[in-house]
């Protein structure tokens, strides 16, 4: 039995309801900084809450902390493995977490003394039985959430390395996760190679909602700023929006001309814009409400692998297989 | 034999999960969509990428050179 295709013509989708909303003005964004220094594909990046520092990780095994205003490198760590697929900044700005093919998530406290060997203070926190695909600190430096190629997600205590909760339910590699905005309680969403996006209760370990409308791997998930919805990006070349209270997909962002997978998605501060990094080297900017593409940005010379909007929403950063990171504003 | 047992166990788990999910309250899409729109509208002015701020206020756009004190 063929599954009905979701098209904007179907009744009750976001774009229909938002028909009368005023369109956005002209949208101009350019590369304002290029961060060069990685020796191979950039796989992941994260912003510091101070809105200017960035941590990035690469296939070259290095994790670099940058000052995005000046493009200076502030710290660099060489991991014992290549393909560092995940990295995250601690909420305090005093540490970074990273991991990848080593199947672990390690935390490095950032020293003010630039000559200090960061690797010496490394703390191993998470242990999976396959690669680490994503990691994120929770509201504090004390806990880390991880997702893995072993099909599970897990919550860890940083200090002791103890496993606090594990999350089983994906039928294949979990590729991404995102924590709900703190006001909305203790949940997070994960996406995987089983084409599913699952919403989890962090305390009980229970999967509370599940969405399966993508036609291929889900590479990225990101909560809408209100916490009532989340967006996903997939190898099926579409981004989709799922509303948690309606418990269904409410919008799809796609074009016939876009045939390459989406690696990474993030919202602007108000949730009106959705930025998607694609495997065809471009960034597509979508009007979340109307479903139209507002802009297409060029610059990277290979796949865009990671994309995050800055904490104050003034810019976003992309990382690419072309070894560079770019700040767009 | 054990393969069948594993499949049955999996199916049981799926049924249990679905039983949990069937009871959640679902909102009408028209209402959910209206809420998303309202949120965008309420926060549009604070969103520097939707309501442009002068270049001088965007640290990445201003042309000032940053001096690094060595």
């Amino acid at each position: 039995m063929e599954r009905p295709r979701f098209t904007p013509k179907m009744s009750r989708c976001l774009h229909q309801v938002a028909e009368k909303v005023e369109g956005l003005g002209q949208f101009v964004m350019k590369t304002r900084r290029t961060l060069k220094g990685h020796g191979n594909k950039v796989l992941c990046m994260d912003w510091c809450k101070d809105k200017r520092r960035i941590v990035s990780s690469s296939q070259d095994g290095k994790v670099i902390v940058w000052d995005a205003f000046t493009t200076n490198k502030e710290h660099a760590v060489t991991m014992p493995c290549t393909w560092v697929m995940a990295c995250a900044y601690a909420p305090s700005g005093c540490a970074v977490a990273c991991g990848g093919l080593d199947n672990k998530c390690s935390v490095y406290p950032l020293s003010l003394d630039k000559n200090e060997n960061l690797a010496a203070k490394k703390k191993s926190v998470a242990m999976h039985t396959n690669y680490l695909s994503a990691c994120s600190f929770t509201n504090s430096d004390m806990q880390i959430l991880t997702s893995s190629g072993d099909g599970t997600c897990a919550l860890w205590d940083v200090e002791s390395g103890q496993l606090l909760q594990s999350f089983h339910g994906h039928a294949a590699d979990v590729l991404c996760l995102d924590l709900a905005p703190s006001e909305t309680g203790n949940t997070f969403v994960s996406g995987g190679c089983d084409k599913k996006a699952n919403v989890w209760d962090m305390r009980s370990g229970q999967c509370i909602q599940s969405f399966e409308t993508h036609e291929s791997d889900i590479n990225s998930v990101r909560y809408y700023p209100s916490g009532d919805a989340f967006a996903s990006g997939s190898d099926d070349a579409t981004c989709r929006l799922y509303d948690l209270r309606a418990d269904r997909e409410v919008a799809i962002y796609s074009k016939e001309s876009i045939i390459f997978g989406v690696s990474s998605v993030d919202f602007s501060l108000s949730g009106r814009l959705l930025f998607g990094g694609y495997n065809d080297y471009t960034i597509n900017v979508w009007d979340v409400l109307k479903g139209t593409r507002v802009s297409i940005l060029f610059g990277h010379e290979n796949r865009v692998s990671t994309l995050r909007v800055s904490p104050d929403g003034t810019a976003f950063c992309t990382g690419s297989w072309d070894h560079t990171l770019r700040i767009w504003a | 034999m054990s393969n069948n047992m594993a499949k049955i166990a999996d199916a049981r788990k799926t049924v249990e999960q679905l039983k949990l999910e069937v009871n959640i309250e679902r909102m009408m899409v028209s209402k959910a969509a209206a809420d998303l729109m309202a949120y965008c509208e309420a926060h549009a002015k604070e969103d520097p990428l939707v309501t442009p701020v002068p270049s001088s206020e965007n640290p990445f756009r201003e042309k000032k050179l940053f001096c690094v004190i060595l």
Side-chain angles (χ1 to χ4, degrees):
Chain A
M1 188 186 90
E2 202 186 270
R3 191 154 44 92
R5 262 204 81 75
F6 185 91
T7 68
K9 290 204 200 85
M10 274 171 69
S11 63
R12 301 183 298 133
C13 91
L14 178 57
H15 311 323
Q16 273 206 313
V17 177
E19 231 172 355
K20 300 239 166 56
V21 170
E22 210 178 291
L24 291 165
Q26 210 204 9
F27 192 81
V28 178
M29 277 187 99
K30 290 194 263 184
T31 299
R32 305 287 174 171
R33 304 282 191 281
T34 304
L35 307 179
K36 295 187 186 176
H38 278 297
N40 213 322
K41 308 178 173 69
V42 176
L43 302 173
C44 190
M45 61 79 41
D46 191 19
W47 287 89
C48 178
K49 283 205 159 80
D50 72 0
K51 314 162 220 171
R52 73 184 274 172
R53 280 172 185 79
I54 278 175
V55 62
S56 63
S57 64
S58 162
Q59 185 192 345
D60 68 1
K62 289 216 173 36
V63 175
I64 300 178
V65 175
W66 314 75
D67 177 333
F69 286 2
T70 62
T71 75
N72 289 342
K73 298 178 201 39
E74 298 202 335
H75 302 275
V77 178
T78 303
M79 294 281 284
C81 66
T82 56
W83 288 91
V84 189
M85 299 171 209
C87 63
Y89 230 114
S92 67
C94 298
V96 291
C98 53
L101 283 188
D102 58 353
N103 299 358
K104 296 191 202 158
C105 185
S106 307
V107 175
Y108 292 85
L110 295 175
S111 163
L112 287 172
D113 175 3
K114 308 222 157 109
N115 291 324
E116 191 172 355
N117 181 10
L118 285 187
K121 293 239 167 112
K122 162 176 161 175
K123 192 190 284 256
S124 253
V125 175
M127 275 293 308
H128 279 279
T129 54
N130 209 325
Y131 65 89
L132 187 84
S133 53
C135 61
S136 174
F137 285 86
T138 60
N139 294 333
S140 74
D141 286 21
M142 305 281 69
Q143 292 180 354
I144 282 190
L145 195 55
T146 58
S147 64
S148 168
D150 67 13
T152 72
C153 298
L155 181 66
W156 310 82
D157 178 273
V158 173
E159 194 56 50
S160 63
Q162 197 194 355
L163 173 68
L164 298 171
Q165 186 60 263
S166 68
F167 306 89
H168 297 260
H170 277 288
D173 304 23
V174 187
L175 299 178
C176 52
L177 61 84
D178 192 35
L179 271 136
S182 36
E183 312 81 55
T184 35
N186 291 325
T187 61
F188 73 95
V189 61
S190 64
C193 291
D194 58 359
K195 312 176 201 169
K196 284 211 219 144
N198 290 338
V199 181
W200 307 88
D201 180 317
M202 278 169 70
R203 275 176 287 212
S204 66
Q206 200 96 72
C207 173
I208 49 185
Q209 280 173 279
S210 188
F211 303 89
E212 192 174 353
T213 62
H214 272 295
E215 295 171 12
S216 187
D217 300 3
I218 297 178
N219 298 312
S220 178
V221 286
R222 192 74 65 213
Y223 270 91
Y224 186 79
S226 71
D228 290 331
F230 69 90
S232 58
S234 163
D235 276 351
D236 69 7
T238 70
C239 300
R240 296 177 196 236
L241 186 70
Y242 298 90
D243 188 290
L244 293 168
R245 294 172 309 162
D247 188 39
R248 53 179 283 183
E249 179 189 296
V250 294
I252 184 169
Y253 307 93
S254 66
K255 263 174 120 66
E256 278 203 24
S257 54
I258 299 175
I259 58 172
F260 282 81
V262 190
S263 63
S264 196
V265 295
D266 203 357
F267 286 100
S268 71
L269 227 58
S270 65
R272 182 65 192 267
L273 297 168
L274 181 69
F275 299 95
Y278 287 70
N279 292 343
D280 63 3
Y281 316 176
T282 68
I283 293 126
N284 285 297
V285 187
W286 301 90
D287 179 329
V288 169
L289 300 181
K290 294 178 109 48
T292 51
R293 181 174 63 185
V294 166
S295 187
I296 178 168
L297 303 173
F298 302 96
H300 277 298
E301 295 168 13
N302 206 319
R303 285 194 190 193
V304 178
S305 54
T306 181
L307 185 157
R308 295 297 293 259
V309 172
S310 71
D312 62 358
T314 53
F316 68 88
C317 178
T318 51
S320 165
W321 280 17
D322 68 9
H323 308 189
T324 71
L325 292 114
R326 281 171 184 250
I327 312 281
W328 307 75
Chain B
M1 267 296 266
S2 65
N3 200 9
N4 272 337
M5 298 289 280
K7 284 190 186 157
I8 291 173
D10 262 348
R12 281 225 171 89
K13 261 192 247 172
T14 308
V15 169
E16 288 310 312
Q17 179 65 27
L18 287 171
K19 277 187 190 166
L20 277 170
E21 291 180 20
V22 84
N23 286 322
I24 68 174
E25 266 194 49
R26 289 170 179 84
M27 186 184 279
M28 296 275 282
V29 170
S30 47
K31 166 87 173 68
D35 284 356
L36 293 175
M37 282 163 51
Y39 188 92
C40 281
E41 180 71 14
H43 293 84
K45 289 205 170 56
E46 306 153 15
D47 187 339
L49 300 177
V50 169
T51 309
V53 295
S55 284
S56 53
E57 283 179 33
N58 186 328
F60 290 107
R61 283 193 187 176
E62 48 176 28
K63 300 220 190 306
K64 204 168 72 169
L65 284 171
F66 285 91
C67 297
V68 178
I69 297 168
L70 296 164

